[in-house]
Amino acid sequence: MKKTILIIGAGLAGLSAALQAAEEGCKVKLISSMPSERAQSVMAEGGINAALNIKEEDDSPEQHYEDTIKAGCGLADPNAVWNMTQAAPELVRWLHRIGVAFNIDDHDEIDLRNFGGQKKKRTAFSKSDTGKQLMTALIDAIRKKEIDGQIERFSHHSFVTLHLHDNICNGCVIQDRYSGEMHSLIGNAVILATGGMHGLFGNTTGSLANTGEVTAELFRLGIPMANLEMIQYHPTTAAIGGKRLLISEAARGEGGRLFAKRDGKPWYFMEEMYPELGNLMPRDITARTIRQVRTDYPVYLDMTEISKDRIEKKLSGLLDDCLTYLHQDIRKEPIAVSPGIHYFMGGIFVDECHRTPVKNLYAAGECCCQYHGANRLGGNSLLGAIYGGKIAAQTACLESPDQTEPFFINKETLVPTEPAHVPIRLHEILQKAMDVVRDETTLKTGLAQLQTLQGSRSLLGQAMIKSALARQESRGAHWRSDYPLQNDEIGSKTTVAVYDGTTIKISFAPIPKRRCIQ
């Protein structure tokens, strides 16, 4: 009998996992609250990293590895990062073969652009709509498996809880969003691919449909979370209706320049402060620098020097977004920018094979803590999602038991619906406490305020703040003004948060040592 793999989430990580599990000969049940076409992955703009070495820059997967580890400030699992960067070139070529419409250069090769934190051109892209192209190709591949009966879709179904017994997972409970009916699903393994915790903060570049409820429910059940304090602020975003519009790093990769209006003249502060990489410094450094400059001067991103031909071929999606939502033409005027929450490096604690500490339970994509350490390189999120989904599925198909036991819904174990007002207050507290720069006072104030709220998302928010309090140093995306230096004695470890049913406990786990490469 074929094994059944339950996959929660149908963005890039979920689709990649579903496709791999089907290729491994397993039956897949793909559960999502909305269609894949509305997944946050569609919103990704800039590109996907792979050291294809087609720009005569002597690039290599080894250099991609080194840049990723350096950007992550030593917190990423070196074995997982090594495996991902080694696999990246063939992964991108495979994506091209299955229909991803990457930009092609004059030599009929996949075109590559510069991206932050990397000296070499290694970011493959499709104008500024890379996420849409990746999702379109994977959705098409998944539909073929659906027709063959290998993948069964459960659209408009929300995750409710896991079925756990003696630290073993053998399924989950889902709810039909139309009828309200609960269903028990039995599986040999469960893979979580539910995206980042944007709904806890509200004012982010991500989809607010990513409510964080799944991660919060797992945390309530006692599943460990790692590096929750590591929240990436994208340096260049603009306000639109309670959210942030991403002004893609691709704009700076194609020649966009950050400047401040100082004494009536443009001050290109990134180029002055960081002459080696200038506007393409890693995101944590760029975001903090913009925040500091903005205390005295407004900051803008100038794309008017980029040729109209290059904008049409490589940034047309960004042009359309700015015209539609900001009513500004990037070809004619600079855009006012400021940092905004963009990506969660922390999440469900997994190992390099994407196992959680619960048997038969795996996680991939932004919902888990893997590959990015304290700061993610632009272009590594799409790579990590697709590669991570594949690895999670391979591991699940190989290791999960051949048989599972049936179970039934115990309604007494289900969490009551949170009060409607909680998320809004939660947004306010977390946005203030977990800002680009933090200190003990703001963190403790936020923690005390969260403790007056109810619900699993408030509990997860408390774990974020307690993780930030425990990391008494500054590293990557976590910047403490009261501890401005990096402390390798206490800091070169993973922050682990666990809820035991009564108390949130914070500990530190060592980073795995890199294995010798034969």
Coordinates of all heavy atoms in Angstrom, one line a residue, residues 193-265:
A193 N 4.0 23.5 5.6 CA 4.6 24.4 4.6 C 3.7 25.7 4.6 O 3.2 26.0 3.5 CB 4.7 23.8 3.2
T194 N 3.5 26.3 5.7 CA 2.4 27.3 5.9 C 2.9 28.7 5.9 O 2.1 29.6 6.2 CB 1.7 27.0 7.2 OG1 2.6 26.9 8.3 CG2 0.9 25.7 7.1
G195 N 4.2 28.9 5.6 CA 4.7 30.3 5.4 C 5.0 31.0 6.7 O 4.9 30.4 7.8
G196 N 5.3 32.3 6.6 CA 5.8 33.0 7.8 C 4.6 33.6 8.6 O 3.4 33.4 8.3
M197 N 5.0 34.2 9.7 CA 4.0 34.6 10.7 C 3.6 36.1 10.6 O 3.4 36.8 11.5 CB 4.6 34.4 12.1 CG 5.0 33.0 12.4 SD 6.0 32.7 13.8 CE 7.6 33.1 13.2
H198 N 3.3 36.5 9.3 CA 3.0 37.9 9.0 C 1.7 38.4 9.7 O 1.7 39.5 10.1 CB 2.8 38.0 7.5 CG 4.1 37.7 6.7 ND1 5.0 38.7 6.4 CD2 4.6 36.5 6.3 CE1 6.0 38.1 5.8 NE2 5.8 36.8 5.7
G199 N 0.7 37.5 9.9 CA -0.5 37.9 10.5 C -0.3 38.3 12.0 O -1.2 39.0 12.5
L200 N 0.8 37.9 12.6 CA 1.0 38.4 14.0 C 1.4 39.9 14.1 O 1.2 40.5 15.1 CB 2.1 37.6 14.6 CG 1.7 36.3 15.4 CD1 1.2 35.2 14.4 CD2 2.9 35.7 16.2
F201 N 1.9 40.4 13.0 CA 2.3 41.8 12.9 C 1.4 42.7 12.1 O 1.3 43.9 12.4 CB 3.8 41.8 12.4 CG 4.8 41.3 13.3 CD1 5.0 39.9 13.4 CD2 5.6 42.2 14.1 CE1 6.0 39.4 14.3 CE2 6.5 41.7 15.0 CZ 6.7 40.3 15.1
G202 N 0.8 42.1 11.1 CA -0.1 42.9 10.2 C 0.6 43.8 9.2 O 0.4 43.6 8.0
N203 N 1.4 44.7 9.7 CA 2.0 45.7 8.8 C 3.3 45.2 8.2 O 4.4 45.6 8.5 CB 2.3 47.0 9.6 CG 2.6 48.2 8.7 OD1 2.4 48.2 7.5 ND2 3.2 49.2 9.3
T204 N 3.2 44.2 7.2 CA 4.3 43.6 6.6 C 4.2 43.6 5.1 O 3.1 44.0 4.6 CB 4.5 42.1 7.1 OG1 3.6 41.3 6.4 CG2 4.2 42.0 8.6
T205 N 5.2 43.2 4.4 CA 5.1 43.0 3.0 C 4.4 41.7 2.6 O 4.1 41.5 1.4 CB 6.5 43.0 2.3 OG1 7.2 41.8 2.8 CG2 7.3 44.2 2.7
G206 N 4.2 40.8 3.5 CA 3.7 39.5 3.3 C 2.2 39.5 3.2 O 1.5 40.5 3.6
S207 N 1.6 38.3 2.9 CA 0.2 38.1 2.9 C -0.4 38.0 4.3 O 0.1 37.2 5.1 CB -0.2 36.9 2.1 OG -1.5 36.5 2.2
L208 N -1.4 38.7 4.6 CA -2.0 38.6 5.9 C -2.9 37.3 6.0 O -3.3 37.0 7.1 CB -2.9 39.8 6.2 CG -2.1 41.2 6.2 CD1 -3.0 42.3 6.7 CD2 -0.9 41.1 7.1
A209 N -3.0 36.6 4.9 CA -3.6 35.3 5.0 C -2.7 34.3 5.7 O -3.1 33.3 6.2 CB -3.9 34.8 3.6
N210 N -1.4 34.6 5.8 CA -0.5 33.9 6.6 C -0.6 34.4 8.0 O 0.2 35.2 8.5 CB 1.0 34.1 6.1 CG 1.2 33.3 4.8 OD1 0.3 32.9 4.1 ND2 2.5 33.2 4.5
T211 N -1.6 33.9 8.7 CA -2.0 34.4 10.0 C -1.1 34.0 11.1 O -1.1 34.6 12.2 CB -3.4 33.9 10.4 OG1 -3.4 32.5 10.4 CG2 -4.4 34.3 9.3
G212 N -0.3 33.0 10.9 CA 0.6 32.5 12.0 C -0.1 31.5 12.9 O 0.4 31.0 13.9
E213 N -1.4 31.2 12.6 CA -2.2 30.3 13.5 C -1.7 28.9 13.5 O -1.7 28.3 14.6 CB -3.7 30.3 13.0 CG -4.4 31.6 13.3 CD -5.8 31.7 12.6 OE1 -5.9 31.7 11.4 OE2 -6.8 31.6 13.4
V214 N -1.2 28.4 12.4 CA -0.7 27.0 12.4 C 0.6 26.9 13.3 O 0.7 26.0 14.1 CB -0.4 26.6 11.0 CG1 0.2 25.2 11.0 CG2 -1.6 26.6 10.1
T215 N 1.5 27.8 13.1 CA 2.7 27.8 13.9 C 2.4 28.0 15.4 O 2.9 27.3 16.3 CB 3.7 28.9 13.5 OG1 4.0 28.7 12.1 CG2 5.0 28.9 14.3
A216 N 1.4 28.9 15.7 CA 0.9 29.1 17.1 C 0.3 27.8 17.7 O 0.6 27.5 18.8 CB -0.1 30.3 17.1
E217 N -0.4 27.1 16.9 CA -1.0 25.9 17.4 C 0.0 24.8 17.7 O 0.0 24.1 18.7 CB -2.1 25.3 16.4 CG -2.6 23.9 16.7 CD -3.3 23.8 18.0 OE1 -3.6 24.8 18.7 OE2 -3.7 22.7 18.3
L218 N 1.0 24.7 16.8 CA 2.1 23.8 17.0 C 2.9 24.2 18.3 O 3.2 23.3 19.1 CB 3.1 23.8 15.9 CG 2.9 22.7 14.8 CD1 1.5 22.8 14.2 CD2 4.0 22.6 13.8
F219 N 3.1 25.5 18.5 CA 3.8 25.9 19.7 C 3.0 25.5 21.0 O 3.5 25.1 22.0 CB 4.1 27.4 19.7 CG 4.9 27.9 20.8 CD1 6.2 27.5 21.0 CD2 4.3 28.8 21.7 CE1 6.9 28.0 22.1 CE2 5.1 29.3 22.8 CZ 6.4 28.9 22.9
R220 N 1.7 25.7 20.9 CA 0.8 25.4 22.0 C 0.9 23.9 22.3 O 0.8 23.5 23.5 CB -0.7 25.8 21.7 CG -1.7 25.5 22.8 CD -3.1 25.7 22.4 NE -3.5 24.5 21.5 CZ -3.9 23.4 22.0 NH1 -4.0 23.2 23.3 NH2 -4.3 22.4 21.2
L221 N 1.1 23.1 21.3 CA 1.2 21.6 21.5 C 2.5 21.2 22.0 O 2.7 20.0 22.3 CB 0.9 20.9 20.2 CG -0.5 21.0 19.6 CD1 -0.6 20.4 18.2 CD2 -1.5 20.3 20.5
G222 N 3.5 22.1 22.2 CA 4.8 21.8 22.7 C 5.9 21.6 21.7 O 7.0 21.2 22.1
I223 N 5.6 21.9 20.5 CA 6.7 21.7 19.4 C 7.6 22.9 19.5 O 7.2 24.0 19.4 CB 6.0 21.5 18.1 CG1 5.2 20.2 18.1 CG2 7.1 21.5 16.9 CD1 4.3 20.1 16.9
P224 N 8.9 22.6 19.6 CA 9.9 23.7 19.7 C 10.0 24.7 18.5 O 9.8 24.3 17.4 CB 11.2 23.0 19.9 CG 10.9 21.6 20.3 CD 9.6 21.3 19.6
M225 N 10.3 25.9 18.8 CA 10.5 27.0 17.8 C 11.9 27.5 18.0 O 12.5 27.5 19.1 CB 9.5 28.1 18.0 CG 8.1 27.7 17.9 SD 7.6 27.4 16.3 CE 6.4 26.1 16.6
A226 N 12.5 27.9 16.9 CA 13.9 28.3 16.9 C 14.1 29.7 16.3 O 13.4 30.1 15.4 CB 14.8 27.3 16.1
N227 N 15.0 30.5 17.0 CA 15.4 31.8 16.5 C 14.2 32.7 16.1 O 14.2 33.4 15.1 CB 16.3 31.7 15.2 CG 17.7 31.1 15.6 OD1 18.1 31.1 16.7 ND2 18.3 30.6 14.6
L228 N 13.2 32.7 17.0 CA 12.0 33.5 16.8 C 12.3 35.0 16.8 O 11.5 35.8 16.2 CB 10.9 33.2 17.8 CG 10.2 31.9 17.7 CD1 9.3 31.7 18.9 CD2 9.5 31.7 16.4
E229 N 13.4 35.4 17.4 CA 13.8 36.8 17.4 C 14.3 37.3 16.1 O 14.4 38.6 15.9 CB 14.8 37.1 18.5 CG 16.2 36.5 18.2 CD 16.4 35.1 18.6 OE1 15.4 34.4 18.7 OE2 17.5 34.6 18.7
M230 N 14.6 36.4 15.1 CA 15.2 36.8 13.9 C 14.2 37.1 12.8 O 13.7 36.2 12.1 CB 16.2 35.7 13.4 CG 17.4 35.4 14.3 SD 18.4 37.0 14.5 CE 19.6 36.4 15.7
I231 N 13.8 38.4 12.7 CA 12.8 38.9 11.8 C 13.4 39.9 10.9 O 14.0 40.9 11.3 CB 11.6 39.6 12.6 CG1 11.0 38.6 13.6 CG2 10.6 40.1 11.6 CD1 10.1 39.3 14.6
Q232 N 13.3 39.6 9.6 CA 14.0 40.4 8.6 C 13.1 41.6 8.2 O 12.0 41.4 7.8 CB 14.4 39.6 7.3 CG 15.1 40.4 6.3 CD 15.7 39.6 5.2 OE1 15.0 39.3 4.2 NE2 16.9 39.2 5.3
Y233 N 13.7 42.8 8.3 CA 13.1 44.0 7.8 C 13.7 44.3 6.5 O 14.9 44.4 6.3 CB 13.4 45.2 8.8 CG 12.5 45.2 10.0 CD1 12.7 44.3 11.0 CD2 11.4 46.1 10.0 CE1 11.8 44.4 12.1 CE2 10.6 46.2 11.1 CZ 10.8 45.3 12.2 OH 9.9 45.3 13.2
H234 N 12.9 44.3 5.4 CA 13.4 44.6 4.1 C 13.7 46.1 4.1 O 12.8 46.9 4.6 CB 12.3 44.3 3.0 CG 12.9 44.3 1.6 ND1 13.2 45.4 1.0 CD2 13.2 43.3 0.8 CE1 13.7 45.1 -0.2 NE2 13.7 43.8 -0.3
P235 N 14.8 46.5 3.6 CA 15.2 48.0 3.7 C 14.3 48.9 2.9 O 14.1 50.1 3.4 CB 16.6 48.0 3.0 CG 17.1 46.6 3.1 CD 15.9 45.7 2.9
T236 N 13.7 48.5 1.8 CA 13.0 49.4 0.9 C 11.5 48.9 0.8 O 11.2 48.1 -0.1 CB 13.6 49.5 -0.4 OG1 13.8 48.2 -1.0 CG2 15.0 50.2 -0.3
T237 N 10.6 49.5 1.5 CA 9.2 49.3 1.4 C 8.5 50.6 1.5 O 9.0 51.6 1.9 CB 8.6 48.4 2.5 OG1 8.6 49.1 3.8 CG2 9.5 47.1 2.7
A238 N 7.2 50.6 1.0 CA 6.4 51.8 1.1 C 5.0 51.5 1.6 O 4.5 50.4 1.5 CB 6.2 52.4 -0.4
A239 N 4.4 52.4 2.3 CA 3.1 52.2 3.0 C 2.0 52.2 2.0 O 1.9 53.1 1.2 CB 2.9 53.3 4.1
I240 N 1.1 51.1 2.1 CA -0.1 51.1 1.3 C -1.2 50.5 2.2 O -1.2 49.3 2.4 CB 0.1 50.3 0.0 CG1 0.7 48.9 0.2 CG2 0.8 51.1 -1.0 CD1 0.5 48.0 -0.9
G241 N -2.1 51.2 2.6 CA -3.3 50.7 3.3 C -3.1 49.7 4.4 O -3.7 48.6 4.4
G242 N -2.3 50.0 5.4 CA -2.1 49.1 6.5 C -1.1 48.0 6.2 O -0.9 47.1 7.1
K243 N -0.5 48.0 5.0 CA 0.5 47.0 4.7 C 1.7 47.7 4.2 O 1.8 48.9 4.2 CB 0.0 46.0 3.6 CG -0.8 44.9 4.2 CD -1.3 43.9 3.1 CE -0.3 43.4 2.2 NZ 1.0 42.8 2.7
R244 N 2.7 46.9 3.7 CA 3.9 47.5 3.2 C 4.1 47.0 1.7 O 4.0 45.8 1.5 CB 5.2 47.1 3.9 CG 5.2 47.5 5.4 CD 5.0 48.9 5.7 NE 6.1 49.8 5.1 CZ 6.2 51.1 5.3 NH1 5.2 51.7 6.0 NH2 7.1 51.7 4.7
L245 N 4.3 47.9 0.8 CA 4.6 47.5 -0.6 C 6.1 47.2 -0.7 O 6.9 48.1 -0.4 CB 4.1 48.6 -1.6 CG 4.5 48.3 -3.0 CD1 3.7 47.1 -3.6 CD2 4.2 49.6 -3.9
L246 N 6.5 46.1 -1.2 CA 7.9 45.7 -1.4 C 8.4 46.5 -2.6 O 7.9 46.4 -3.7 CB 8.0 44.2 -1.6 CG 9.4 43.7 -1.9 CD1 10.4 44.0 -0.7 CD2 9.4 42.3 -2.3
I247 N 9.5 47.2 -2.4 CA 10.2 47.8 -3.5 C 11.5 46.9 -3.7 O 12.4 47.0 -3.0 CB 10.7 49.2 -3.2 CG1 9.5 50.1 -2.8 CG2 11.3 49.8 -4.5 CD1 8.4 50.2 -3.8
S248 N 11.3 45.9 -4.6 CA 12.3 44.8 -4.6 C 13.7 45.2 -4.7 O 14.1 46.2 -5.2 CB 12.0 44.0 -5.9 OG 12.9 43.0 -6.1
E249 N 14.5 44.3 -4.0 CA 16.0 44.5 -4.1 C 16.5 44.4 -5.5 O 17.6 44.9 -5.8 CB 16.6 43.4 -3.3 CG 18.1 43.6 -2.9 CD 18.5 42.6 -1.8 OE1 18.2 42.9 -0.6 OE2 19.1 41.6 -2.2
A250 N 15.7 43.9 -6.4 CA 16.1 43.8 -7.8 C 16.3 45.2 -8.4 O 17.1 45.5 -9.2 CB 15.0 43.2 -8.6
A251 N 15.6 46.2 -7.8 CA 15.7 47.6 -8.3 C 17.1 48.1 -8.0 O 17.8 48.8 -8.8 CB 14.7 48.5 -7.6
R252 N 17.7 47.7 -6.8 CA 19.1 48.1 -6.5 C 20.1 47.3 -7.3 O 21.1 47.7 -7.7 CB 19.3 48.1 -5.0 CG 18.6 49.2 -4.3 CD 18.8 49.1 -2.8 NE 17.8 48.1 -2.3 CZ 18.1 47.2 -1.3 NH1 19.3 47.1 -0.8 NH2 17.1 46.4 -0.9
G253 N 19.7 46.0 -7.5 CA 20.5 45.1 -8.3 C 20.7 45.6 -9.8 O 21.7 45.3 -10.4
E254 N 19.7 46.4 -10.3 CA 19.8 46.9 -11.6 C 20.3 48.3 -11.7 O 20.2 48.9 -12.8 CB 18.4 46.8 -12.3 CG 17.8 45.4 -12.4 CD 18.7 44.5 -13.3 OE1 19.4 45.0 -14.1 OE2 18.6 43.2 -13.1
G255 N 20.7 48.9 -10.5 CA 21.2 50.2 -10.6 C 20.5 51.3 -9.8 O 21.0 52.4 -9.8
G256 N 19.5 50.9 -9.0 CA 18.8 51.9 -8.2 C 19.7 52.3 -7.0 O 20.5 51.5 -6.5
R257 N 19.6 53.6 -6.6 CA 20.5 54.2 -5.6 C 19.7 54.8 -4.5 O 18.7 55.5 -4.7 CB 21.4 55.2 -6.3 CG 22.2 54.8 -7.5 CD 22.9 55.9 -8.1 NE 24.0 56.4 -7.3 CZ 24.7 57.5 -7.6 NH1 24.3 58.3 -8.6 NH2 25.7 57.9 -6.8
L258 N 20.1 54.4 -3.3 CA 19.5 55.0 -2.1 C 20.1 56.3 -1.8 O 21.4 56.5 -1.9 CB 19.7 54.1 -0.9 CG 18.8 52.8 -0.9 CD1 19.4 51.8 0.1 CD2 17.4 53.1 -0.5
F259 N 19.3 57.3 -1.4 CA 19.9 58.6 -1.0 C 19.0 59.3 0.0 O 17.8 58.9 0.1 CB 20.1 59.5 -2.2 CG 18.9 60.1 -2.8 CD1 18.4 61.4 -2.5 CD2 18.1 59.4 -3.8 CE1 17.3 61.9 -3.0 CE2 17.0 59.9 -4.3 CZ 16.6 61.2 -3.9
A260 N 19.5 60.2 0.7 CA 18.8 61.1 1.6 C 18.9 62.5 1.1 O 19.9 62.9 0.6 CB 19.3 60.9 3.0
K261 N 17.8 63.3 1.4 CA 17.9 64.7 1.1 C 18.5 65.5 2.2 O 17.9 65.6 3.3 CB 16.5 65.2 0.8 CG 16.0 64.8 -0.6 CD 14.7 65.5 -0.9 CE 14.2 65.1 -2.3 NZ 12.9 65.7 -2.7
R262 N 19.8 65.9 2.1 CA 20.5 66.5 3.1 C 21.0 67.9 2.7 O 21.7 68.0 1.7 CB 21.7 65.7 3.6 CG 22.5 66.2 4.7 CD 23.6 65.3 5.2 NE 24.6 65.1 4.2 CZ 25.8 64.5 4.4 NH1 26.0 63.9 5.5 NH2 26.7 64.4 3.4
D263 N 20.6 68.9 3.4 CA 20.9 70.3 3.0 C 20.6 70.6 1.5 O 21.3 71.3 0.8 CB 22.4 70.5 3.2 CG 22.8 70.3 4.7 OD1 22.0 70.6 5.5 OD2 24.0 69.9 4.9
G264 N 19.5 70.0 1.1 CA 19.0 70.3 -0.3 C 19.7 69.5 -1.4 O 19.4 69.7 -2.6
K265 N 20.6 68.6 -1.0 CA 21.4 67.9 -2.0 C 21.2 66.4 -1.7 O 21.1 66.0 -0.5 CB 22.9 68.3 -1.9 CG 23.2 69.7 -2.2 CD 24.6 70.0 -2.1 CE 24.9 71.5 -2.4 NZ 26.4 71.8 -2.3

